Amino acid sequence: IAEHGLRPIELLAEAGCLGPRTTVVHATHADGAELDLLRQSGARICVCPSTEANLGDGFLPVERVLRRGIGLCIGSDSNVHIDPFEELRELDGIARRQAGRRDVLTVDALLSIGSDEGAGSLGLEEWPPIEIDGGHPQLRAVAEPICALVHGCSADVVVSRRG
């Protein structure tokens, strides 16, 4: 701000760097005007909840992002702990704590953030299919495997990628 008189996302917009192929990482300090710029440009946000927690860098304003229809994907830019299911759970927990209620993000929305939106951020039409080990101890005798996958499993339930 001191150097350019603009906030970071405003500077990206001014420089012509925002568009549907843009993914802004973190955005934990983005204000409403910056979020509006992301929405208008069709840009996404890659949220890295474990990294942000490790850095003490704040939280993505999840409901403000969702209300604007800004695409979200997950990532990690540190070696703290890299597990996509953990990132999704942390994002869900942040959303719940900020809203003071459950079901801010549905299981389907979390799965989309963890797959479709990530693929889109990388310029892929879809994510290559993955194989889940349904006999993994974390999934045995589970009534709702998709919910368990998102809310209770670690990445080691993924056994391989096909395609």
Side-chain angles (χ1 to χ4, degrees), residues 101-125:
R101 62 183 169 76
R102 301 174 98 184
D103 299 324
V104 177
L105 292 163
T106 65
V107 170
D108 287 341
L110 288 166
L111 286 172
S112 179
I113 290 166
S115 60
D116 300 334
E117 288 292 336
S121 177
L122 295 171
L124 303 172
E125 287 187 31

Side-chain angles (χ1 to χ4, degrees), residues 3-16:
E3 183 155 338
H4 297 284
L6 298 167
R7 293 181 53 84
I9 295 171
E10 292 171 330
L11 182 59
L12 290 171
E14 182 76 20

